[in-house]
Amino acid sequence: MRSASISRRTAETDVSVSIDLDGTGKAEISTGVGFLDHMLELFARHGLFDVTIKVVGDLHVDQHHTTEDTGIALGQAVAKALGDKRGIARYADIHLPMDETLSRVAIDISGRPFLVFRTSFRVEKIGQFDTELVREFFQAFAMNSGLTLHVETLYGENAHHIAESLFKGVARSLRKAVAIDPREEGRVPSTKGSL
C-alpha cells in the first residue's frame, strides 16, 4: 500500500499527518483553522486520498505557522508514500472550473521541487483566513513533496472560489500523476532511472 504517516513538532506547531494515495477520499481533518480544514477535505475527496491531519498550532499568534507546517507535513507524507515512484504516471494537468473561476494546475512528480503560483486575490481574507496563506501552503507542500507545481487562476472574482479551484485542481492533478501506469511495467518514469 502506498501510505505514510508523518509527525512534526516544533515550538510553533504539533502536526500529525497520514495519507493513503490509493484511498477513497476519506478525510479526518482538524487544524484549528476552519477554512484550511475545508480545503484539505476537498483535497482528500477530489484526490481520492484517505487523509488524517491533526494540528495544534500557535493560533494565538496567527494562522501562518499552522498552515505552512501542515503543508510541510502533508508534502513529506506524500513523498514518503510515493517511495521510489516506480510505475507512476508522473505528469498531470487539469483546468478546474469553480463557478466564475477557472484555474489551471500542472504537476510533475520530478523530485525537483518548484512552485509557480500565478494567482491573486482581490481581498485579504476569506472569513478569518489570510488569502496570502494559500500560496504559503502550496509552497510548503511542493517543496516537501518534491513536486514541480504550477498553479494559475486564468480568471475569477470570488476569493473562496479561487482558493477552492486551486485545492481541487491540485488534488485532481496529483491523483492522475500518482496513478500507476500499467505500461510503465514498474519502471521509474525517467530516462535517468530515478526521480
Side-chain angles (χ1 to χ4, degrees), residues 85-98:
K85 306 176 186 77
R86 289 186 180 279
I88 63 168
R90 179 179 169 178
Y91 296 98
D93 61 79
I94 193 169
H95 284 84
L96 199 295
M98 177 68 194

Side-chain angles (χ1 to χ4, degrees), residues 11-112:
E12 298 166 341
T13 61
D14 186 356
V15 183
S16 63
V17 172
S18 65
I19 190 166
D20 180 352
L21 298 177
D22 302 306
T24 60
K26 291 185 294 186
E28 293 180 35
I29 312 293
S30 178
T31 67
V33 180
F35 184 76
L36 181 60
D37 289 356
H38 177 45
M39 293 299 107
L40 293 170
E41 288 163 358
L42 295 172
F43 174 84
R45 177 63 185 91
H46 287 271
L48 292 180
F49 309 130
D50 291 344
V51 180
T52 301
I53 299 175
K54 296 192 185 315
V55 185
V56 177
D58 58 355
L59 295 178
H60 63 285
V61 176
D62 65 10
Q63 299 176 352
H64 186 110
H65 299 140
T66 294
T67 302
E68 182 177 35
D69 290 4
T70 300
I72 290 170
L74 183 60
Q76 290 172 347
V78 167
K80 187 175 176 183
L82 281 168
D84 64 8
K85 306 176 186 77
R86 289 186 180 279
I88 63 168
R90 179 179 169 178
Y91 296 98
D93 61 79
I94 193 169
H95 284 84
L96 199 295
M98 177 68 194
D99 295 350
E100 86 295 344
T101 297
L102 183 65
S103 292
R104 175 172 49 207
V105 175
I107 286 177
D108 175 11
I109 304 176
S110 62
R112 296 184 307 279

Side-chain angles (χ1 to χ4, degrees), residues 163-177:
E164 190 164 328
S165 71
L166 296 180
F167 275 85
K168 286 179 177 177
V170 169
R172 291 266 172 173
S173 294
L174 188 61
R175 172 179 161 182
K176 291 193 290 185

Side-chain angles (χ1 to χ4, degrees), residues 181-195:
D181 182 346
R183 294 179 62 204
E184 282 290 356
E185 298 179 338
R187 297 174 297 179
V188 174
S190 170
T191 55
K192 294 190 290 290
S194 67
L195 290 171

